[in-house]
Amino acid sequence: MPASLKSLAGKFIVFDGLDGCGKTTQMDRLEKKLAQQNVPAVRVREPGSTPVGEHIRELLLTSRGEGLHIRAEMLLYMASRAQLVYEEIRPALCKGIAVLADRYTSSTLAYQGFAGGIPEQSILDVARAATENLWPDLTIILDLPLEVAVKRIHSGAKRGPEQMGLFQDRIENRVAEFHQKVRDGFLHQSQTFPDRYRVISAKGTREDMEAKIEDALVTFFTDGR
Ligand code: TYD
């Protein structure tokens, strides 16, 4: 039994990657395993997870096509994050609870930064203010070539309409080139901050990915530190 998942207690772990990379499934599995091993954990997603964050999510959805400027978009994601850190993430970490986050500043760096053109340093500066300098212990990037991500999304009912929402908008409103840049943005971050990022290929089976993620977590939080 992989008892070393216990070393995740009180850690802040982010899962990120291109839409369709399988984050939700993998986070479900990890959450279940942590529960089995009595490691307290909370799960959050961005944008959203707090009442204010859900309003911001709605605003982001409905503002597409209304000329929302990329810097305003970036600040809305950050505002949701500021609230989430204040309401959920910091209190949980202070109690020794592991936090599993579906997206964080890594998404803003990839989408609004690398792909959207906002300088990396500007985003890092805003993130520092929004989160009072709270950075994840580890960010796991589930990496998928763009064609595979698109195929997965379109291959049917695996994701419900709620999960498809923002992605569909993006596919319709923005070109594939944008998503290629997003992927490059995630990979760029992992090269810039190799001590805080791990990249896992999302091309294999769910079971393969699950094993690789568990291995990466255990190595990082026990051997690696
Ligand atoms: P969502 O429907 O929650 O999908 P997913 O399951 O892929 O996370 O969509 C979130 C979308 O918001 C996704 O396309 C990425 C985007 N996003 C940004 O552009 N910047 C950010 O800072 C965050 C947190 C998300």
Side-chain angles (χ1 to χ4, degrees), residues 75-97:
L75 289 166
L76 285 172
Y77 282 115
M78 282 297 181
S80 170
R81 184 165 305 136
Q83 190 72 24
L84 183 59
V85 166
Y86 167 73
E87 254 183 58
E88 299 277 348
I89 301 181
R90 243 186 232 287
L93 295 174
C94 285
K95 288 182 208 143
I97 297 170

Side-chain angles (χ1 to χ4, degrees), residues 16-21 23-24 45-47 57 60 64 73-74 77-78 81 102-112 159 162-167 170 174 178-179:
D16 218 329
L18 219 49
D19 309 70
C21 68
K23 280 183 281 109
T24 309
R45 72 158 185 179
E46 288 200 4
R57 184 182 180 86
L60 279 161
R64 296 246 155 81
E73 183 179 309
M74 182 270 279
Y77 282 115
M78 282 297 181
R81 184 165 305 136
D102 186 338
R103 300 192 183 279
Y104 195 64
T105 303
S106 40
S107 270
T108 318
L109 286 166
Y111 285 87
Q112 284 69 46
R159 308 178 101 215
E162 147 66 11
Q163 285 166 301
M164 297 219 20
L166 293 184
F167 180 76
R170 281 187 179 277
R174 305 194 187 187
F178 179 89
H179 289 89

Side-chain angles (χ1 to χ4, degrees), residues 43-83:
R43 170 110 168 245
V44 294
R45 72 158 185 179
E46 288 200 4
S49 286
T50 63
V52 167
E54 291 298 333
H55 285 308
I56 295 174
R57 184 182 180 86
E58 195 58 36
L59 186 63
L60 279 161
L61 266 174
T62 51
S63 306
R64 296 246 155 81
E66 288 180 350
L68 180 67
H69 191 273
I70 188 82
R71 279 197 296 278
E73 183 179 309
M74 182 270 279
L75 289 166
L76 285 172
Y77 282 115
M78 282 297 181
S80 170
R81 184 165 305 136
Q83 190 72 24

Side-chain angles (χ1 to χ4, degrees), residues 205-217:
T205 64
R206 289 175 183 190
E207 289 68 28
D208 282 347
M209 274 170 76
E210 186 177 356
K212 281 189 201 155
I213 289 170
E214 184 166 339
D215 189 50
L217 287 167

Side-chain angles (χ1 to χ4, degrees), residues 99-186:
V99 175
L100 307 181
D102 186 338
R103 300 192 183 279
Y104 195 64
T105 303
S106 40
S107 270
T108 318
L109 286 166
Y111 285 87
Q112 284 69 46
F114 219 79
I118 299 182
E120 180 178 73
Q121 196 54 51
S122 303
I123 294 177
L124 291 173
D125 289 345
V126 177
R128 192 166 296 118
T131 68
E132 286 190 298
N133 223 5
L134 182 68
W135 306 98
D137 291 290
L138 178 64
T139 299
I140 294 187
I141 304 296
L142 301 184
D143 179 52
L144 205 55
L146 182 62
E147 321 78 70
V148 186
V150 172
K151 234 185 253 165
R152 278 195 190 174
I153 290 290
H154 287 296
S155 75
K158 264 181 259 157
R159 308 178 101 215
E162 147 66 11
Q163 285 166 301
M164 297 219 20
L166 293 184
F167 180 76
Q168 243 175 357
D169 282 0
R170 281 187 179 277
I171 273 290
E172 280 155 20
N173 296 340
R174 305 194 187 187
V175 285
E177 205 180 302
F178 179 89
H179 289 89
Q180 185 58 53
K181 284 194 197 153
V182 171
R183 182 192 181 203
D184 294 343
F186 283 125

